[in-house]
């Protein structure tokens, strides 16, 4: 629908801007998005058989609201 064409791009814009600044973004009745930093990890390189370290990784975590969980189940 034409009237819905502004909602999703606006949500994406708000999410990207606020998460870049490190803020938590909450949509009432839906859930919250927050930026987390995953720690560095060790892994074995299968070609060289050496243990190497991956750098820390930035990721986005979604926590659903209780209302959404109640509606789903």
């Amino acid at each position: 629908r034409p009237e819905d064409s502004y909602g999703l791009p606006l949500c994406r814009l708000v999410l990207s801007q606020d998460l870049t600044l490190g803020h938590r973004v909450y949509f009432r009745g839906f859930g919250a998005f927050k930026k987390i930093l995953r720690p560095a990890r060790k892994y074995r390189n299968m070609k060289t058989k050496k243990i190497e370290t991956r750098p820390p990784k930035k990721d986005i975590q979604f926590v659903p609201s209780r209302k959404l969980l109640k509606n789903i189940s």
Side-chain angles (χ1 to χ4, degrees), residues 1-9:
R1 298 188 324 206
E3 62 270 8
D4 292 338
S5 64
Y6 296 108
L8 188 59

Side-chain angles (χ1 to χ4, degrees), residues 50-64:
K50 293 182 181 177
I51 295 178
E52 298 178 4
T53 304
R54 291 186 188 178
K57 179 182 173 184
K58 295 176 187 172
D59 205 357
I60 298 173
Q61 182 179 24
F62 174 71
V63 181

